[in-house]
Amino acid sequence: MNPRIALISATPAAIPPAVSALATGFPQARPWNILDDRLLADVGQDGRTPALDDRMRRLIDYAVAGGADGVLLTCSLYGEVTKQVDAPVPLLAPDEAAFDEALSSGHTRILVVASLASALSDSTARFEQAARDKGITVEVGGLLAPDELVETCRARGDGWDLVLLAQYSLAPAAEELAAALGVPVVSGPRSAAARLKAAIGK
């Protein structure tokens, strides 16, 4: 039986890139979309709350109880919640695999790109922490591209060895961006699909 992969999303925009990445990188997988479109809207100025984390944990429990063979969170803001759950199946934070891929690439000047300021600051801080945790020295930059992603990166993204996309919604532009900049572009959905395939192996 083909493995069921639960995709827990906080915005509808994250769903197509995640489903597309599974279709390409883990075609045996059957995506199961679970959406709570208030998970982002309910985050206030102080960020996530214990109540919101609990809501995400309940969604993870729901996915596991429903027969998921693997669970992927598609909202980077809730990635830390995966550390609070002892799941009986592979459970991935949105950019866990992407961070690992970027840090194991051998590139030392990495540009984090986002379309939202909150996503840029959050992803940049967590990526820098991931590098410190692994004892890897990298120079990390940040670029905010609220629209015209490729054009903005072409104009302001020179001099970097690798681009890390901070949001799932930006993943569809990865190949075009790589061609425009001439450097590798790492996106969460593609890296996560590869990690899930390796972990589940069906």
Side-chain angles (χ1 to χ4, degrees), residues 114-142:
S115 64
L116 298 172
S118 57
L120 182 62
S121 60
D122 174 69
S123 293
T124 301
R126 289 185 298 102
F127 181 59
E128 290 174 334
Q129 184 61 54
R132 287 192 292 271
D133 290 345
K134 291 179 177 294
I136 297 174
T137 301
V138 291
E139 180 182 350
V140 180

Side-chain angles (χ1 to χ4, degrees), residues 47-130:
R48 297 190 340 258
T49 64
L52 286 171
D53 282 4
D54 185 58
R55 204 157 97 200
M56 177 58 82
R57 286 194 297 269
R58 290 199 303 272
L59 289 173
I60 295 169
D61 290 343
Y62 173 77
V64 172
D69 297 295
V71 180
L72 171 64
L73 308 192
T74 70
C75 178
S76 60
L77 190 62
Y78 285 89
E80 290 294 310
V81 178
T82 60
K83 298 177 181 178
Q84 306 169 11
V85 178
D86 184 16
V89 299
L91 169 63
L92 289 187
D95 39 25
E96 176 182 338
F99 284 2
D100 288 346
E101 181 178 341
L103 290 171
S104 65
S105 68
H107 296 292
T108 58
R109 304 191 73 248
I110 297 174
L111 181 65
V112 180
V113 176
S115 64
L116 298 172
S118 57
L120 182 62
S121 60
D122 174 69
S123 293
T124 301
R126 289 185 298 102
F127 181 59
E128 290 174 334
Q129 184 61 54

